[in-house]
């Protein structure tokens, strides 16, 4: 009985949490302009989203392209920077290690708006005109700490003897790194990349502060502007559904990968 | 192997430019008059503008309601999820964690549509409900984590010593879960105050929170005043962290993002 009540409570909360998302997905499959009005199953909204039948469809495809470019570049850069520095931090000791870990934690702990405002101030005081570059730099700033966090534990598990053996057998440190260490880190790097990619697509607040006013829009800022003009365009329902599903899938993959890595660690 | 340590240098430089320096700039701009020169002018303005002060206090009030509601709803959920007898599935906890990673803006717009369908008028009630929607997972997850870590032999010992289930909860489980509650409070309270754009959508532009005021000032080129407001927010963050004694949240926050 107790278990039954507990289950009911949990499922009620889950229904409450997911209801808004489910409604958007459900009503993306009907033609009605007004939400909550079911006029039969149809994929017409998806069609007009993809064939450009909606108003400002050009702006939307530009936003989509920007989002993907920004996410790819930032996630790649964050993965490389994060991995290199994780290797470095791993061999650091004492106060230096503490200092760099402390600063690495700041972007994860700060509310987005503080990250956004502070980077905005940086760019204006350095006189860098805001656009692609500044958004990408900002995204690298909040993605890299997560890559570092993913790669560090993997480094502690590595067997240092294999690396030493490679050196004894005549490999240069660079070769040993490329052939021994990097292959073993590949899994953690990929997890870091996937998480960074998802976070970059997902970001709204930091992007608003760093995108400048030259008309650069990403999906989230596009959705924001559209919603501010008085409610969502119906075509944004399929778009939001696609965004949900993409992020959910990326996260599920990322989650499974990290828990697998955690299991391997226990072995 | 020690040359390897040099590999952290590029990131150390990156962190100083993109994390340390920007935070420092908030201080610099906050204490500068728009025309230049050191000044407290921005803070004086804050304390003299009743509209901004009211928004600030109102944001704290809303954040307090939100935190309390998330705790009331979230604690039982975390307790059930962490208890092997009540919940065997690992998927349920993942279902609670996943919405955290969907952009709060998109989730909010979806919530507004839900209120629309249900014909609920947008206002303070929908604002608080929407905030609970957004932040509940952030309360459940850290509490769940600390509850999971409690050694079950404590319960057995308490039982052997004659404690009733209620006593076990009030004297063992709850005190041991306090660090999780503290993390939960830091992860719900501050972010509620700093949300921007969300409160407008949830209340049809009737209610603004502090985060929006900061954004509006920065956006209309009042950089110094906007920085001063950001600095005030940073101070509140520092205070809540000290008050809740939550020094260990970084490890949990790291897990949370995954």
């Amino acid at each position: 009985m107790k278990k039954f009540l507990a289950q009911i409570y949990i499922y009620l909360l889950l229904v409450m949490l997911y209801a808004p998302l489910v409604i958007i997905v459900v009503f993306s499959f009907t033609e009605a302009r007004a939400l909550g009005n079911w006029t039969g199953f149809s994929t017409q909204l998806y069609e007009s989203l993809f064939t450009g039948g909606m108003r400002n469809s050009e702006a939307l495809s530009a936003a989509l392209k920007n989002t993907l470019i920004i996410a790819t570049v930032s996630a790649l850069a964050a993965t490389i920077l994060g991995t290199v520095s994780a290797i470095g931090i791993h061999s650091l000791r004492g106060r230096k290690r503490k200092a760099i870990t402390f600063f690495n934690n700041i972007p994860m702990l700060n509310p987005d708006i503080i990250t956004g405002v502070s980077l905005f101030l940086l760019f204006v005081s350095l006189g860098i005109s805001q656009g692609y570059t500044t958004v990408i730099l900002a995204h690298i700033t909040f993605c890299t700490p997560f890559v570092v966090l993913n790669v560090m534990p993997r480094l502690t598990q590595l067997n240092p003897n294999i690396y030493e053996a490679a050196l004894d057998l005549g490999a240069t440190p660079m070769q040993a790194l490329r052939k021994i260490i990097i292959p073993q880190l590949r899994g953690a790097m990929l997890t870091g990349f996937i998480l960074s990619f998802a976070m970059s697509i997902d970001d709204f607040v930091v992007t608003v502060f760093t995108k400048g006013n030259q008309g650069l829009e990403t999906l989230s800022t596009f959705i924001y502007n559209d919603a501010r003009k008085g409610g969502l365009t119906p075509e944004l329902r399929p778009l939001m559904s696609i965004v949900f599903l993409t992020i959910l899938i990326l996260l599920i993959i990322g989650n499974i990968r990290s828990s697998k890595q955690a299991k391997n660690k226990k072995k | 192997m020690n040359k390897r340590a040099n590999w952290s240098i590029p990131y150390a430089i990156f962190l100083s430019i993109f994390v340390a320096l920007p935070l420092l700039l908030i201080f610099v701009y906050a204490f500068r008059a728009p025309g230049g020169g050191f000044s407290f002018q921005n803070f004086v303005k804050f304390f003299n503008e009743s509209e901004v002060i009211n928004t600030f206090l109102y944001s704290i009030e809303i954040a307090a309601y939100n935190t309390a509601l998330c705790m009331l709803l979230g604690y039982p959920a975390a307790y059930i999820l962490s208890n092997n007898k009540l919940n065997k599935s690992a998927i349920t906890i993942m279902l609670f964690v996943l919405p955290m990673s969907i952009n709060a803006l998109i989730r909010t717009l979806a919530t507004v549509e839900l209120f629309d369908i249900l014909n609920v008028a947008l206002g303070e009630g929908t604002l608080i409900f929407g905030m609970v929607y957004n932040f509940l997972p952030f309360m459940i997850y850290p509490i769940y984590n600390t509850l999971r870590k409690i050694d079950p032999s404590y319960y057995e010992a308490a039982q052997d010593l004659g404690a009733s289930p209620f006593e076990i909860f009030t004297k063992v489980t709850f005190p041991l879960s306090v660090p999780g509650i503290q993390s939960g409070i830091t992860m719900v309270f501050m972010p509620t105050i700093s949300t921007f754009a969300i409160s407008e959508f949830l209340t049809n532009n009737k209610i603004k929170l502090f985060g929006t005021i900061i954004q509006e000032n920065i956006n209309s080129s009042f950089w110094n005043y906007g920085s001063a407001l950001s600095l005030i927010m940073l101070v509140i963050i520092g205070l809540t962290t000290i008050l809740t004694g939550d020094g260990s949240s970084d490890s949990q926050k790291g897990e949370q993002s995954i």
Side-chain angles (χ1 to χ4, degrees):
Chain A
M1 184 62 198
K2 217 170 119 195
K3 189 179 168 182
F4 181 68
L5 284 178
Q7 294 288 345
I8 287 191
Y9 183 68
I10 290 294
Y11 287 116
L12 273 180
L13 278 189
L14 279 178
V15 167
M16 184 183 114
L17 277 178
Y18 280 88
L21 308 188
V22 170
I23 277 175
I24 293 288
V25 176
V26 167
F27 284 97
S28 70
F29 286 107
T30 190
E31 271 175 40
R33 308 301 290 175
L35 195 93
N37 186 6
W38 181 264
T39 51
F41 179 84
S42 147
T43 53
Q44 195 242 324
L45 289 178
Y46 283 87
E47 278 161 33
S48 77
L49 175 70
F50 286 111
T51 54
M54 62 181 286
R55 72 172 150 102
N56 58 23
S57 65
E58 263 168 48
L60 177 65
S61 46
L64 181 66
K65 202 181 90 194
N66 292 337
T67 307
L68 291 177
I69 294 175
I70 290 168
T72 314
V73 176
S74 333
L76 262 182
T79 309
I80 296 169
L81 182 63
T83 310
V84 169
S85 39
I87 295 175
I89 296 169
H90 182 64
S91 35
L92 274 182
R93 294 283 168 270
R95 204 182 289 167
K96 275 187 191 163
R97 185 183 175 124
K98 259 193 198 145
I100 203 167
T101 335
F102 173 76
F103 282 107
N104 187 53
N105 282 336
I106 290 183
M108 295 190 289
L109 295 172
N110 259 347
D112 285 349
I113 198 160
I114 296 286
T115 312
V117 171
S118 66
L119 285 167
F120 171 82
L121 293 176
L122 177 78
F123 296 134
V124 290
S125 38
L126 293 181
I128 301 173
S129 69
Q130 301 194 46
Y132 257 107
T133 329
T134 48
V135 173
I136 289 173
L137 283 170
H139 284 208
I140 296 173
T141 308
F142 68 72
C143 288
T144 314
F146 290 94
V147 179
V148 175
L149 270 194
N150 261 289
V151 175
M152 286 291 283
R154 188 82 189 92
L155 277 165
T156 12
Q157 297 158 35
L158 291 187
N159 180 350
N161 294 334
I162 306 177
Y163 176 79
E164 303 286 330
L167 292 185
D168 289 347
L169 292 169
T172 64
M174 253 346 244
Q175 283 173 324
L177 180 85
R178 215 178 55 227
K179 303 220 157 151
I180 307 290
I181 298 188
I182 298 291
Q184 299 190 68
L185 293 182
R186 206 172 277 154
M189 287 167 72
L190 189 59
T191 312
F193 178 84
I194 294 173
L195 286 175
S196 305
F197 192 78
M199 279 190 295
S200 170
I201 293 186
D202 204 41
D203 179 69
F204 164 64
V205 177
V206 178
T207 310
V208 165
F209 281 99
T210 50
K211 74 186 173 67
N213 47 16
Q214 301 303 313
L216 176 68
E217 301 290 348
T218 64
L219 271 187
S220 49
T221 60
F222 179 88
I223 291 175
Y224 169 66
N225 288 334
D226 193 78
R228 247 196 351 178
K229 277 180 210 141
L232 289 177
T233 322
E235 278 82 1
L236 286 184
R237 278 177 241 153
L239 180 67
M240 280 160 69
S241 312
I242 295 171
V243 174
F244 293 151
L245 292 180
T246 319
I247 290 173
L248 286 187
I249 290 168
L250 283 177
L251 285 168
I252 290 170
I253 296 172
N255 260 310
I256 293 173
R257 291 184 60 92
S258 338
S259 62
K260 257 192 203 159
Q261 279 156 16
K263 262 184 209 154
N264 288 340
K265 192 160 65 182
K266 273 176 200 150
K267 281 176 200 162
Chain B
M1 203 68 183
N2 221 5
K3 258 195 216 152
R4 232 354 94 68
N6 293 339
W7 286 46
S8 60
I9 291 176
Y11 191 46
I13 297 170
F14 184 89
L15 284 174
S16 6
I17 300 175
F18 291 101
V19 176
L21 181 59
L23 283 178
L24 197 69
L25 283 172
I26 291 189
F27 279 84
V28 172
Y29 273 85
F31 287 103
R32 204 158 67 179
F38 179 85
S39 138
F40 286 106
Q41 188 187 324
N42 303 307
F43 296 95
V44 173
K45 188 175 171 195
F46 170 72
F47 286 107
N48 284 327
E49 263 191 334
S50 60
E51 195 205 335
V52 178
I53 288 266
N54 288 343
T55 311
F56 180 65
L57 295 177
Y58 186 73
S59 306
I60 290 181
E61 188 187 322
I62 292 285
Y65 284 142
N66 182 27
T67 314
L69 273 174
C70 284
M71 211 147 71
L72 280 178
L73 287 172
Y75 197 95
Y79 181 80
I80 294 168
L81 289 169
S82 68
N83 188 321
N84 285 332
K85 278 184 210 129
L86 298 175
N87 174 53
K88 287 200 177 63
S89 139
I91 297 169
T92 24
I93 181 67
M94 195 153 135
L95 284 176
F96 273 101
V97 178
L98 282 177
M100 289 203 286
S101 320
I102 292 180
N103 185 318
L105 173 77
I106 297 187
R107 263 184 294 149
T108 302
L109 291 174
T111 312
V112 173
E113 300 285 351
L114 175 69
F115 288 137
D116 227 34
I117 292 184
L118 299 175
N119 267 327
V120 181
L122 297 179
E124 195 179 69
T126 52
L127 173 64
I128 293 173
F129 263 111
M131 289 288 181
V132 173
Y133 265 129
N134 275 334
F135 288 103
L136 186 60
F138 291 92
M139 182 62 85
I140 294 180
Y141 194 60
I143 298 180
Y144 165 83
N145 265 342
T146 41
L147 286 172
R148 285 292 287 197
K149 282 182 199 140
I150 300 177
D151 187 340
S153 53
Y154 289 163
Y155 304 133
E156 288 154 22
Q159 213 169 11
D160 289 347
L161 293 170
S164 68
F166 181 72
E167 279 172 327
I168 296 182
F169 179 77
T170 52
K171 301 213 162 143
V172 181
T173 318
F174 189 77
L176 286 174
S177 65
V178 167
I181 299 177
Q182 290 168 337
S183 289
I185 293 176
T186 18
M187 282 164 71
V188 173
F189 187 74
M190 262 338 280
T192 313
I193 298 181
S194 70
T195 50
F196 128 65
I198 287 178
S199 51
E200 284 83 330
F201 285 123
L202 282 170
T203 60
N204 203 6
N205 284 321
K206 275 178 231 143
I207 299 173
K208 248 189 241 172
L209 292 188
F210 198 54
T212 310
I213 303 261
I214 295 182
Q215 193 266 343
E216 283 174 351
N217 276 292
I218 296 280
N219 210 16
S220 21
S221 299
F222 298 122
W223 300 340
N224 301 93
Y225 190 46
S227 306
L229 299 179
S230 308
L231 189 60
I232 290 167
M233 192 146 83
L234 272 172
V235 170
I236 302 287
I237 297 175
L239 284 181
T240 32
T241 318
I242 294 167
L243 283 180
T244 55
D246 179 34
S248 63
S249 66
D250 49 357
S251 63
Q252 271 150 2
K253 186 93 199 243
E255 285 170 60
Q256 164 263 124
S257 66
I258 302 170

